[in-house]
Amino acid sequence: MKSIPFICLAFMLTFFACEGPEGPPGPEGPPGQNGQDGEDGLDGLIGVTIEYENINFSEENGYEVLLPFPEELVVFESDVALVYLLWGVESETPIWRALPNTIFTEFGTMQYNYDFTPVDVKLFIDSDFDRSQLGDNELSDWIARVVIVPSDYYGGRVANIDYSNYYEVIEHFGIEDKPLSSHAVVVERP
């Protein structure tokens, strides 16, 4: 029994003996392949917003609209596209609603929704009734903003962001908000 305190004392002395001042830095590592440094990478994308105007849903287009990304924009398969529809303007501040967005009408339930690929976003209307019953206010003159969020930033680091809040998303990613185009037609939605 008397050896247990001795073992504990030896362990404590060994453990605390490892503490001490930090030594000098080690030598610089070897250069890159073939003795040369690698090329600098491109500046990372923090996030980008694309605005689309004059979006119209109809029976002719199957109540879906394809919004292509600009050709110069590189979107990776792991990136995320968030879509917001302009719902109205209050005190000169645009009101953006995140998709999907469910609406209850006199005919039943409808939903503005989307899917995306690295080259485009497809907006569409789902409903539990015949969509031909919808009027111009539900179908015509929409303005959408698509926010591309790089996959590096979409993970755990931003778990506290309210992605349904357009202004919170662009503020977090340092995306400059731009005013609505001067020729944009703003329709107040129900």
Side-chain angles (χ1 to χ4, degrees):
M1 287 298 261
K2 292 183 182 181
S3 64
I4 291 177
F6 177 72
I7 292 172
C8 289
L9 180 63
F11 174 75
M12 287 176 42
L13 288 174
T14 303
F15 178 73
F16 288 115
C18 294
E19 294 290 320
E22 189 174 315
E28 188 174 328
Q33 187 176 11
N34 299 329
Q36 298 177 355
D37 287 337
E39 292 182 33
D40 290 338
L42 299 174
D43 289 338
L45 179 66
I46 294 178
V48 65
T49 299
I50 309 157
E51 185 172 298
Y52 299 89
E53 298 176 353
N54 301 320
I55 298 169
N56 298 295
F57 300 97
S58 67
E59 188 172 354
E60 290 78 30
N61 64 18
Y63 301 97
E64 61 184 47
V65 178
L66 198 61
L67 307 175
F69 296 148
E71 288 183 25
E72 65 274 8
L73 181 63
V74 177
V75 178
F76 297 102
E77 288 191 27
S78 57
D79 292 343
V80 175
L82 305 173
V83 179
Y84 302 86
L85 289 179
L86 180 64
W87 212 258
V89 176
E90 188 172 299
S91 302
E92 298 184 19
T93 302
I95 300 167
W96 298 101
R97 285 203 182 170
L99 297 189
N101 190 337
T102 302
I103 308 295
F104 301 99
T105 73
E106 62 185 285
F107 310 112
T109 304
M110 65 175 281
Q111 185 178 67
Y112 295 99
N113 208 338
Y114 74 103
D115 57 30
F116 65 93
T117 71
V119 296
D120 58 33
V121 164
K122 180 174 69 174
L123 301 181
F124 55 93
I125 296 176
D126 280 330
S127 69
D128 61 4
F129 59 90
D130 183 0
R131 294 170 290 188
S132 66
Q133 297 178 58
L134 295 170
D136 283 344
N137 201 38
E138 293 89 9
L139 300 174
S140 302
D141 297 320
W142 285 100
I143 297 172
R145 284 197 175 166
V146 176
V147 178
I148 305 297
V149 180
S151 61
D152 290 347
Y153 297 96
Y154 195 69
R157 286 184 12 179
V158 293
N160 293 329
I161 291 178
D162 177 5
Y163 289 104
S164 69
N165 184 328
Y166 169 79
Y167 295 103
E168 190 173 330
V169 170
I170 65 167
E171 179 182 340
H172 178 80
F173 291 105
I175 300 169
E176 183 179 337
D177 190 29
K178 54 186 174 185
L180 289 172
S181 302
S182 59
H183 53 14
V185 177
V186 179
V187 178
E188 294 297 320
R189 307 296 175 174

